[in-house]
Amino acid sequence: MGMLILFIAIILEIALAIYCIVTRKTNKPLRNWVRVAVFVAFVILVLLSVIVWSFRWVMLGALLFILAAIGVAALFRNKADPQEYKHSRVIGKTIGMIFALIVALAPALLFPQHQSPQVTGAYEVATASYTYVDTNRTEEFIGTGKNRFVNVQFWYPKHADGTYPLVVFSHGAYGVKASNTSTYTELASHGYVVCSIDHPYHSLYTVSDDGTRALANSEYMREIKNANTEGVYTTEEVYGLFQKWMKLRTDDMNFVIDTILAESQSDKDPMYRLINPDQIGVFGHSMGGSASVWLSRERDDISAVVNIDAPLFSELVYDNEIHDFVASGEAYTTPLLNIYSDSVWVQLDNNSIYAANKAIDENASDAYTVHFQGAKHLSLTDLSLFAPVIADMLQGGKADIDKYDCIETENDLILTFFDYALKGIGRFTAAGTY
């Protein structure tokens, strides 16, 4: 929609400029009538929900309103234009207007208006957000001695009776808790309580209940970049980073789950009473997937894990003789679903960081592997829908798979797997490659 509007606007501005050049007049009244007409058309499109009003359209709406207001004022004054006609002035104003339109439409171009993936469950979905403060931990990223806070958001069945499985999500390296909102909504519509975590200073941006803001820590982002750059760290140093990152992530997840379970025993918030403490699953994308698998090694109450496009750090050891990673070979007993894009799939055989991902099928009693052919790393998140330009930049190009088909199929697989592993519904089967 944003690109279409920009195209039409540019054509209109060029047409006005050509008309002025041909007639050798500034045609101020015509321009003013056009500005008013364009603003009226914009308002009508918003009222008809062709343009769904959101942050995407605020700058464009403000620009069109200002231009229309100036146009109306000029038409009422009905004064002759004192400026002498000049080609250069017409061309300059046209270029300036096109630039202003591009700036005003930037949010709509970067975050285009899009349809939400299909929600198939019977339950209406409600959300709630909280900030949990861990009094047993001091924030390591800032030297103020404050306790670490963790922001969470819930998606849960509204107007529901009974209790439902709890599934907890951890975002990617510098993602956000909303990264897979379509998945959370689909699960909640089928009778799950979904909690997604913002890991402060690992998350790109998070805001707590009291307004405290935390951006991704620059040193942490530098570690991520250098760990993916050959020759900066030794393999043993990278292994040490894995341990550090996973400790913070799993400490956050342990704290959140423990807090939720404690709240589910109280009467303070009816949402918590929807949770069945005997049915807990965890899942995550990228580093969050690594943390989810790691956490299932630490907790006996986790009954299902979904790893989305991540190396299995918990299943790796560092071999001092060959100075490389190898699979630990330990038995893995928690039901596990691994979902991969091409970005990771091509590395499973030739990158030692993924040595345990291949071995897990041999060491696990109930593991499944799915590959989305043509997908890239961020195809498995909602960023590919919400901000496709940014997703393509971050993942090094556009994915070949249909983004809606990818997300909706992924959501269905995760739902079916959790139904099997947490609710005991049927058996889980998957095509393997999609």
Side-chain angles (χ1 to χ4, degrees):
M1 179 62 71
M3 188 61 72
L4 176 62
I5 290 175
L6 178 61
F7 176 75
I8 293 172
I10 290 175
I11 293 299
L12 184 59
E13 289 299 325
I14 292 174
L16 283 171
I18 291 173
Y19 181 70
C20 290
I21 291 171
V22 170
T23 60
R24 301 186 64 80
K25 295 180 180 179
T26 58
N27 293 297
K28 273 280 186 121
L30 175 62
R31 283 182 175 272
N32 290 330
W33 279 114
V34 169
R35 302 290 186 239
V36 174
V38 167
F39 177 69
V40 171
F42 177 79
V43 171
I44 291 173
L45 290 174
V46 171
L47 293 175
L48 294 175
S49 296
V50 175
I51 293 175
V52 180
W53 183 253
S54 67
F55 73 94
R56 298 173 179 86
W57 306 108
V58 170
M59 289 175 61
L60 178 64
L63 174 64
L64 296 182
F65 174 78
I66 292 170
L67 292 174
I70 293 172
V72 169
L75 288 169
F76 272 108
R77 287 198 306 267
N78 196 26
K79 291 182 178 179
D81 184 6
Q83 287 187 333
E84 181 186 354
Y85 170 81
K86 288 184 179 180
H87 285 333
S88 59
R89 184 177 291 123
V90 170
I91 293 172
K93 286 185 176 181
T94 300
I95 292 173
M97 184 56 64
I98 290 174
F99 177 77
L101 287 166
I102 291 173
V103 172
L105 276 164
L109 296 173
L110 291 175
F111 307 101
Q113 185 173 299
H114 64 281
Q115 292 181 337
S116 297
Q118 186 179 13
V119 178
T120 63
Y123 291 105
E124 184 181 352
V125 177
T127 63
S129 298
Y130 304 91
T131 295
Y132 299 153
V133 178
D134 189 348
T135 57
N136 294 317
R137 286 191 295 163
T138 301
E139 182 56 71
E140 64 183 61
F141 288 102
I142 54 177
T144 61
K146 290 185 177 181
N147 292 114
R148 181 164 173 81
F149 69 90
V150 181
N151 296 322
V152 299
Q153 186 168 355
F154 287 87
W155 285 255
Y156 61 95
K158 192 176 182 180
H159 307 308
D161 296 320
T163 59
Y164 304 90
L166 168 69
V167 287
V168 177
F169 182 88
S170 175
H171 59 71
Y174 28 84
V176 292
K177 63 179 182 289
S179 69
N180 286 65
T181 296
S182 68
T183 313
Y184 320 147
T185 306
E186 175 69 354
L187 288 169
S189 77
H190 283 270
Y192 287 86
V193 177
V194 184
C195 174
S196 185
I197 301 171
D198 260 344
H199 300 278
Y201 305 102
H202 274 204
S203 174
L204 181 65
Y205 177 78
T206 187
V207 183
S208 63
D209 289 344
D210 65 2
T212 301
R213 290 169 170 77
L215 299 174
N217 177 260
S218 58
E219 179 60 29
Y220 162 71
M221 295 182 73
R222 187 158 43 249
E223 289 173 351
I224 294 288
K225 179 178 181 295
N226 290 339
N228 288 284
T229 303
E230 189 174 351
V232 178
Y233 295 128
T234 66
T235 305
E236 187 172 11
E237 287 171 333
V238 172
Y239 187 69
L241 289 174
F242 292 165
Q243 310 301 309
K244 182 173 75 170
W245 298 335
M246 289 298 99
K247 176 168 174 48
L248 181 125
R249 292 287 184 120
T250 56
D251 281 353
D252 282 352
M253 296 177 78
N254 271 313
F255 166 62
V256 166
I257 293 174
D258 289 343
T259 301
I260 293 172
L261 293 180
E263 292 288 345
S264 69
Q265 302 303 312
S266 72
D267 295 326
K268 290 189 298 183
D269 190 327
M271 185 209 69
Y272 289 110
R273 295 200 298 274
L274 294 173
I275 294 168
N276 185 338
D278 298 321
Q279 296 176 321
I280 301 176
V282 291
F283 66 130
H285 175 256
S286 196
M287 190 179 292
S290 302
S292 297
V293 177
W294 190 298
L295 189 70
S296 68
R297 285 285 191 190
E298 297 181 352
R299 299 184 69 105
D300 295 330
D301 56 359
I302 292 176
S303 302
V305 184
V306 177
N307 162 42
I308 305 173
D309 232 26
L312 306 182
F313 292 152
S314 61
E315 313 307 302
L316 289 174
V317 294
Y318 177 73
D319 190 317
N320 286 295
E321 293 186 3
I322 64 173
H323 303 293
D324 207 350
F325 306 116
V326 295
S328 66
E330 294 182 24
Y332 189 86
T333 57
T334 306
L336 170 66
L337 171 61
N338 290 304
I339 300 175
Y340 298 120
S341 69
D342 285 350
S343 304
V344 169
W345 189 256
V346 297
Q347 300 185 72
L348 295 182
D349 289 320
N350 56 27
N351 189 333
S352 63
I353 290 177
Y354 294 94
N357 292 61
K358 277 288 191 180
I360 198 71
D361 290 332
E362 301 173 3
N363 302 327
S365 57
D366 199 9
Y368 307 87
T369 296
V370 168
H371 169 216
F372 281 87
Q373 195 167 31
K376 288 184 177 288
H377 190 53
L378 295 172
S379 302
L380 303 178
T381 73
D382 289 353
L383 189 66
S384 62
L385 309 177
F386 182 74
V389 174
I390 295 174
D392 292 346
M393 289 173 58
L394 292 174
Q395 66 190 4
K398 187 175 181 179
D400 294 328
I401 197 169
D402 180 87
K403 55 188 178 182
Y404 280 96
D405 182 60
C406 180
I407 289 291
E408 289 176 353
T409 303
E410 177 191 19
N411 292 348
D412 180 65
L413 283 169
I414 292 172
L415 170 65
T416 305
F417 175 74
F418 279 141
D419 278 350
Y420 152 69
L422 296 179
K423 294 184 177 181
I425 300 175
R427 295 290 301 174
F428 179 75
T429 57
T433 300
Y434 290 87

